[in-house]
Amino acid sequence: MARVYGYLRVSTEHQDLQRQKVLVKKYCEENELNLIGYIEEKVSGAKSDRKGVKEILQLTKEDADIVIISDLSRLSREDDIMNVISKINTIRQNGLDLLMLDTEQWIRTTDTIDAMKMIQLVIRASENANERRKIANRMSTGRYAKLIENPYAYVGGQIPFGFSVKTNPMFDENATSNKVARKILVDNPQEKLILEMMYSKIADGYTLHRLAKYMIDNGIIISKGSLTNYQTLISDILHNKLYIGERTYKGEKFPIKPLIRNSIFKAA
C-alpha cells in the first residue's frame, strides 16, 4: 500500500487546517492509501523559506511514496514561478509522486513533463501568485485585514442574529497597526436558543408560515413587520451558513465556531 504524507498550509494562525486534513484523509481512505502523517504550517505561501516545505523537500522514497496537497497554492504562492516549478521537480527527483486534489492532477516520478504540462503548471502557479497579490491588496483596505487577523472581527453593518458585539480585549488604543479589530462578535446565548428552536421546528416539519405564526403568538419577536416579512426574515436566517461556521466577506470564507450542528442545518 502506497505511503502518503499530506502537506497542509494556511496563511495565518487564526485559520483552520481541518478542511484540508479531511480532504486528504478522505482521498486516502477511498483509494486505499496509507496516510502516515501530515506536515502542517501556518505561514504565507509567498515565503519561499518555510519549515514545512523544507520538510516536504527532504522526504525521500524511504519515507513515503506520495505527497498530497489540496491545491497547488498550498505548496506555494510565490511570485517567482520557477521556484514553484523547482519545488515540484525536487519532490519528483526525491522519488515521490505529487497529487493536487482540486484537479486530481498527478505529477509522477515516471512522468515526462512535456511542454504542455509545464505550461499548465506555470499558468496555475502564476494564478496563485496573482491571487496572493489580490489578497494582500484587500488586506490593505482594513476590514479584510481585521478578518484575517480574527474571523470574529466586527466590521460594521447589522449584527447577525445569534451574536452580540463586545470590545476586543486584544485591541490596543495606542497601537500603530490597524489590523486588530476594535470590536468582535460573540455568541448571544438567548438568541442562540431561539436559533436552535427555529431550526429544530423546521426540521420537524413546520412550514415557514407556521413557524412565523408560532413565534409571533409566543412573543418571540426578532423583527417588526408583517407575517409575510417575518417569514422572509426567518428563511434568510435558516439559509445563512454563518450558523454552521462559514462567515463570508466579499466571497471569501472565514471559519468560525458553528452555532448550529451541520446535520440540523441540512435537515432544516
Side-chain angles (χ1 to χ4, degrees), residues 106-122:
W106 285 89
I107 307 293
R108 301 183 189 274
T109 57
T110 55
D111 287 345
T112 298
I113 305 299
D114 57 21
M116 184 58 68
K117 279 190 177 181
M118 179 64 75
I119 290 170
Q120 290 173 346
L121 287 171
V122 167

Side-chain angles (χ1 to χ4, degrees), residues 5 7 56 65-72 75 84 87-89 91-92 95-101 104-109 111 121:
Y5 264 103
Y7 172 67
I56 286 290
D65 302 295
I66 305 168
V67 172
I68 295 182
I69 54 179
S70 62
D71 61 86
L72 183 57
L75 188 64
V84 183
K87 287 178 173 62
I88 293 172
N89 200 43
I91 292 171
R92 292 177 67 245
L96 285 79
D97 297 336
L98 175 66
L99 169 63
M100 292 168 274
L101 290 178
E104 292 199 16
Q105 180 181 4
W106 285 89
I107 307 293
R108 301 183 189 274
T109 57
D111 287 345
L121 287 171

Side-chain angles (χ1 to χ4, degrees), residues 1-8 18-36 38 65-71 97-108:
M1 185 181 292
R3 301 159 298 160
V4 173
Y5 264 103
Y7 172 67
L8 320 173
Q18 187 61 29
R19 183 189 70 85
Q20 295 175 49
K21 189 173 290 187
V22 168
L23 288 173
V24 173
K25 182 179 179 183
K26 183 173 183 286
Y27 186 90
C28 290
E29 289 174 347
E30 291 178 350
N31 292 274
E32 297 184 349
L33 300 173
N34 179 19
L35 178 59
I36 57 178
Y38 301 100
D65 302 295
I66 305 168
V67 172
I68 295 182
I69 54 179
S70 62
D71 61 86
D97 297 336
L98 175 66
L99 169 63
M100 292 168 274
L101 290 178
D102 61 330
T103 57
E104 292 199 16
Q105 180 181 4
W106 285 89
I107 307 293
R108 301 183 189 274

Side-chain angles (χ1 to χ4, degrees), residues 232-249:
T232 301
L233 175 62
I234 291 171
S235 178
D236 289 343
I237 289 174
L238 293 173
H239 285 86
N240 193 341
K241 290 188 176 182
L242 173 70
Y243 301 117
I244 54 170
E246 294 184 14
R247 189 178 185 191
T248 304
Y249 180 73

